[in-house]
């Protein structure tokens, strides 16, 4: 659901990916080092084969230098994504709860650390299917009776990137819908 530049009034996908790189992931270091203090905090110690938690940006940097293996988040497995896809399809009324930055993190991990993930091609396919099901629900929600009357759109459990894609269109559409409503007396101003 990419929008033309004039309608993009929110964060871009690249900016949202940048923000997602602060999420914590597990790595298995391939080097030994004591704890290190960086601007974002204190990380380590790095002792193979023990896993440790670091921000995604640090994990990606170490991965590019072949200094670690990234442990896939628990939700980035074929079994878990198949379950999420099945649940998403079964829930016609709303959106399933997903990790906040799952779209951005999965894209980065599949692009840079696909060798650390099991069945990356299957993961890509499942993520694409999940994304398409959620986008279809968004489109269906935009065509619903409640939105056409200018009242609401259910956005509970949408991720930041889905909201960023939807926001410019929705703001403009709601403004137009409100301008088309008849200007009647406000409910609190009725005369007795």
């Amino acid at each position: 659901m990419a929008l033309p530049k004039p309608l993009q009034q929110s964060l871009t996908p690249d900016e949202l990916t940048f923000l997602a790189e602060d999420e914590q992931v597990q790595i298995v270091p391939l080097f030994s080092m004591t704890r290190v203090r960086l601007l974002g905090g204190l990380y380590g110690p790095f002792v193979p084969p023990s896993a440790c938690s670091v921000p995604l940006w640090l994990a990606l940097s170490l991965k590019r230098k072949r200094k670690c293996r990234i442990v896939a988040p628990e939700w980035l497995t074929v079994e878990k994504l198949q379950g999420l896809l099945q649940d998403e399809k079964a829930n016609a009324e709303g959106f399933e709860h997903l990790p906040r930055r799952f779209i951005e993190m999965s894209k980065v991990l599949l692009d840079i650390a696909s060798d650390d993930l099991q069945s990356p091609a299957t993961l890509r396919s499942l993520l694409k299917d999940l994304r398409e099901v959620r986008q279809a629900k968004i489109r269906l929600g935009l065509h619903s009776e409640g939105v056409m009357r200018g009242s609401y759109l259910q956005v509970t459990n949408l991720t930041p990137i889905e909201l960023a894609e939807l926001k410019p269109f929705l703001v403009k559409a709601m403004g137009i819908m409100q301008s088309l409503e008849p200007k009647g007396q406000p409910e609190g101003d009725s005369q007795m």
Side-chain angles (χ1 to χ4, degrees), residues 9 14 31-32 58 127 162 182:
Q9 298 172 356
D14 288 336
F31 65 99
S32 293
L58 181 55
L127 287 163
E162 291 169 326

Side-chain angles (χ1 to χ4, degrees), residues 52-125:
C52 62
S53 183
V54 298
L56 182 58
W57 63 265
L58 181 55
L60 296 174
S61 177
L62 292 172
K63 178 65 181 173
R64 287 184 183 113
K65 295 174 185 170
R66 295 188 168 108
K67 299 282 186 185
C68 77
R69 281 187 319 99
I70 299 176
V71 178
E74 57 115 46
W75 51 266
L76 193 55
T77 62
V78 172
E79 297 78 25
K80 184 69 172 176
L81 287 177
Q82 284 173 337
L84 287 171
L85 180 60
Q86 200 170 30
D87 292 346
E88 193 70 52
K89 287 179 179 178
N91 182 1
E93 297 299 315
F95 298 93
E96 288 298 309
H97 176 73
L98 297 173
R100 181 172 165 76
R101 305 274 186 194
F102 94 99
I103 295 170
E104 302 96 312
M105 287 182 68
S106 60
K107 181 183 182 334
V108 170
L109 289 172
L110 283 165
D111 288 348
I112 295 172
S114 62
D115 58 325
D116 291 340
L117 304 173
Q118 291 182 350
S119 306
T122 306
L123 291 174
R124 285 181 204 278
S125 176

